[in-house]
Each structure stands twice: as structure tokens, then as C-alpha cells.
Amino acid sequence: LLRLLEQTCRDEPSELPVVCQFGDTKCRLVMKNRRRVLEKLQSLMSGGPDALEVITDFDHTLSKFSENGRRVPSSHGIMESYPDLSAEDHKYFRELYTKYYAIEICPDMSDEEKLPHMIEWWTRSHDRMVLAGFQKSVLAQTVDVSGVALRDGWHQFFDRLEELGIPCLIFSAGIGDIIQEILVHFDIRGKLIRVVSNFMLYNEKGVLRGFSEPLIHTFNKRFSAFASSEASANDLVGATDRRHVLLMGDTMGDLRMSEGCNADLVLTVGYLNDRVQDRLSGYADKFDIVCLEDHSLCVPLAVIEAAATGGTA
Ligand code: MG7
């Protein structure tokens, strides 16, 4: 990545994709401002792994968007494969998805315009899950049969974070219990991994009765969303004193995940999974590196390896 940047670095911005080879994997990347990416990478290198933290989205960022032409389910999608749902429940969730996903990714609406719709989606979906009487006892099995897939290279990604002592905050508007179960399913047990998300609350019989507050949705995923909670925002998200952040996401809302954290340098990697033509320009403006229809974690891994070469560690 560094070599490519040094070779192709120009002062004028470019939205043209470049191909970067990582071992056997070729990735198409857009780095509109290559000089800025190069400078950020050089700073990450000089800070080394001790200065770095990863803040990442989960659904369709750590997990794949699609595999063999099949859409990989999000954590909400996995909940919706709960075996005891009725045909009406399925229809209800499908209709919600069709209506609100189009709004979530609509390039012609602002975040402010989308916000009330997103709150409505999450609330209606969570209420229906409570009504359906989701049982804690089937969580593991529901995840096991869901067909969820992580991006290629996930094993190495989590191994390297653990080896280098780099904390990883998984910040998700999905469902935290499902994400934790997915981590268990793939035997990912890093001590420095924290999941901040919507967690399920159960009654004494292990039946879902609600979700944790504050609700986290696509457009309030940031440290400051916790400011009004009883515990301080920093306690809730387990803020670290790391100065450098590698931020990974697949929606524009993800860019704000690090807002309010202590870092002074944030390198952003965006996965553009869907509707590439419509959305590339916006992504290229906002993310340092945009990965186009990429199923791997090669780029984040390259960034981590770059940081691993530097610093005092
Ligand atoms: N997402 C958000 N909600 C739902 C839901 O009720 N069902 C499904 N299938 N997906 C949902 O991890 C966050 C992502 O999950 C999706 C309420 C959204 O697309 C969101 O970006």
C-alpha cells in the first residue's frame, strides 16, 4: 500500500480506482487525496502499534456483504432467522427492510432527513422481536446456522491485533448479543476487543423483554451519543488514550464513530459494497481509502502492519 502510494502520489485529487495487490488478493481502491493518505500512514508508522486503536463497524464491514452471490445477513438479519418466527413476522421484517434500507442508503437525502426514519425502523423492529418472544437459549444455534461470513483475512486481522496489543472497539448499530455470539462462533477471544452496540434484555425466563439504552442506530454511532447516559461516555465505550485510530466502516454514518474520542489522527477505510456508481463520489470525498466491492480485510491489515513496523515496540 505504501509503495503504491509513493508511486501514484499526486497533488491533484483523483477518484480513479487503483489496483493494489496483497499476496494473492487484488483490491480496487479509491484514494482521492493520496498525499493525505500517505502522510497519515507515515504518522501511523512513526507512532507504532502502541499509539494505535481500531474502531470498526461490524455488519458488512467486519462481516462480508455477500458471498458467492448470496447476501450475508447482518446481526438484525440473523435475529430474523430465529426459528420460531411466524410467516407474518417474516413478512413484517421484510417489509420494514425494503422500506427503510432504501432510505438508509439513499444518496439524495441528508442524514438529518434520514434520522427519524432510522429511529422508526430500529424501534419497530425491536418491538416486534419482543412480541415474537425471542429466547436467549436459541441464540447460539441461530448464529451457527445463519451463514454469517467474516471478510477474508479475519483470522490474521484479530491475531495481529492481539499480538501487537492493539485495542479494537466494535461499534455497531446492530445487535451486540449476536455479534458476541459470532465472535464465539469464530473463536475470536481477544482480550482487547470491546463491543458497544444494542444489547438484549431478558426476563427471568430468558425471554427478550427489550433492548439497552441509548438505542444505537446508523446515525448516532459516536461517543457523544452516550453523553446523557448515567455512566460517562468514556466509561461506556471504554475509551483508551490511544492517539491514532484506524476507523473502518461501510456507511457514511460510520465516519463519526471516533467523534469525541481522544485521538488526533484518524485514518478512515470505507467499504463500498453496494450501489457503487451512485455513491462513490461521496465515499471518495469522506473516506481516506475506499475499498470497492472488496471481500477482504487486506487494507486494514496493511495499515496495521505499517504501524507494526514503527514506534518503539
Ligand atoms: N438493519 C437495521 N435494522 C434492521 C432490521 O430490523 N432488520 C435487518 N435485516 N437489518 C436491519 O448493523 C446495522 C445495519 O443493520 C441494518 C433496524 C441496517 O442496514 C444497518 O446499517
Side-chain angles (χ1 to χ4, degrees):
L1 184 61
L2 205 59
R3 215 174 315 122
L4 175 88
L5 278 166
E6 280 162 357
Q7 283 163 6
T8 63
C9 203
R10 296 186 213 95
D11 282 326
E12 72 277 19
S14 166
E15 279 180 24
L16 287 179
V18 285
V19 174
C20 198
Q21 180 97 31
F22 300 97
D24 297 337
T25 312
K26 274 198 178 93
C27 298
R28 280 168 65 233
L29 313 176
V30 171
M31 296 177 278
K32 189 165 174 181
N33 187 338
R34 290 185 206 163
R35 185 159 306 280
R36 189 181 60 197
V37 181
L38 183 62
E39 283 164 8
K40 285 191 180 185
L41 258 187
Q42 285 164 340
S43 298
L44 292 190
M45 287 172 72
S46 61
D50 292 351
L52 185 64
E53 159 160 30
V54 173
I55 300 182
T56 178
D57 170 52
F58 186 83
D59 289 314
H60 305 149
T61 295
L62 281 179
S63 69
K64 285 183 177 172
F65 180 70
S66 63
E67 189 173 58
N68 306 324
R70 175 189 63 92
R71 204 56 181 265
V72 168
S74 66
S75 50
H76 277 103
I78 294 173
M79 277 288 278
E80 290 160 11
S81 63
Y82 172 53
D84 287 351
L85 288 187
S86 66
E88 292 86 72
D89 289 329
H90 281 297
K91 184 162 170 282
Y92 185 82
F93 285 121
R94 229 184 356 262
E95 284 170 1
L96 289 186
Y97 188 85
T98 309
K99 173 175 175 185
Y100 292 107
Y101 182 65
I103 299 176
E104 183 181 21
I105 67 162
C106 176
D108 309 319
M109 283 172 78
S110 68
D111 286 3
E112 286 67 35
E113 287 171 303
K114 293 176 183 184
L115 181 68
H117 299 284
M118 294 302 105
I119 294 176
E120 200 172 88
W121 184 12
W122 263 253
T123 309
R124 290 175 74 182
S125 160
H126 288 180
D127 287 352
R128 187 73 175 213
M129 304 219 177
V130 171
L131 270 181
F134 186 91
Q135 310 248 355
K136 189 176 184 166
S137 55
V138 298
L139 189 72
Q141 187 208 340
T142 307
V143 168
D144 288 346
V145 300
S146 67
V148 66
L150 300 182
R151 285 189 190 273
D152 299 332
W154 63 267
H155 205 293
Q156 200 187 349
F157 177 80
F158 285 107
D159 278 357
R160 288 301 278 151
L161 291 181
E162 183 74 3
E163 281 161 16
L164 295 163
I166 297 174
C168 177
L169 168 63
I170 299 177
F171 204 164
S172 169
I175 299 174
D177 306 65
I178 300 273
I179 293 169
Q180 283 182 330
E181 200 56 51
I182 295 171
L183 298 180
V184 170
H185 177 85
F186 288 100
D187 205 21
I188 297 167
R189 296 174 194 276
K191 284 189 279 301
L192 297 172
I193 301 173
R194 323 177 307 280
V195 180
V196 172
S197 186
N198 299 303
F199 283 92
M200 300 198 258
L201 306 173
Y202 297 100
N203 69 17
E204 64 290 348
K205 294 198 178 98
V207 179
L208 182 67
R209 65 172 174 81
F211 284 81
S212 57
E213 298 273 352
L215 175 72
I216 303 174
H217 51 78
T218 331
F219 296 105
N220 74 344
K221 276 175 65 172
R222 61 198 76 136
F223 284 30
S224 47
F226 297 90
S228 61
S229 308
E230 278 172 33
S232 80
N234 284 353
D235 287 347
L236 269 171
V237 295
T240 68
D241 56 2
R242 304 269 164 143
R243 291 181 295 111
H244 294 165
V245 166
L246 162 61
L247 180 148
M248 302 154 52
D250 75 319
T251 66
M252 298 286 252
D254 291 332
L255 281 162
R256 302 184 68 178
M257 288 189 295
S258 61
E259 223 170 68
C261 81
N262 301 317
D264 50 38
L265 184 153
V266 181
L267 177 77
T268 58
V269 175
Y271 283 95
L272 183 45
N273 297 316
D274 200 10
R275 293 186 61 181
V276 172
Q277 289 311 323
D278 297 348
R279 301 198 291 162
L280 176 58
S281 186
Y283 274 56
D285 276 343
K286 294 284 175 11
F287 284 99
D288 292 316
I289 308 178
V290 183
C291 305
L292 299 178
E293 295 167 308
D294 174 7
H295 300 294
S296 80
L297 289 170
C298 288
V299 169
L301 255 168
V303 174
I304 290 164
E305 291 307 341
T309 60
T312 50

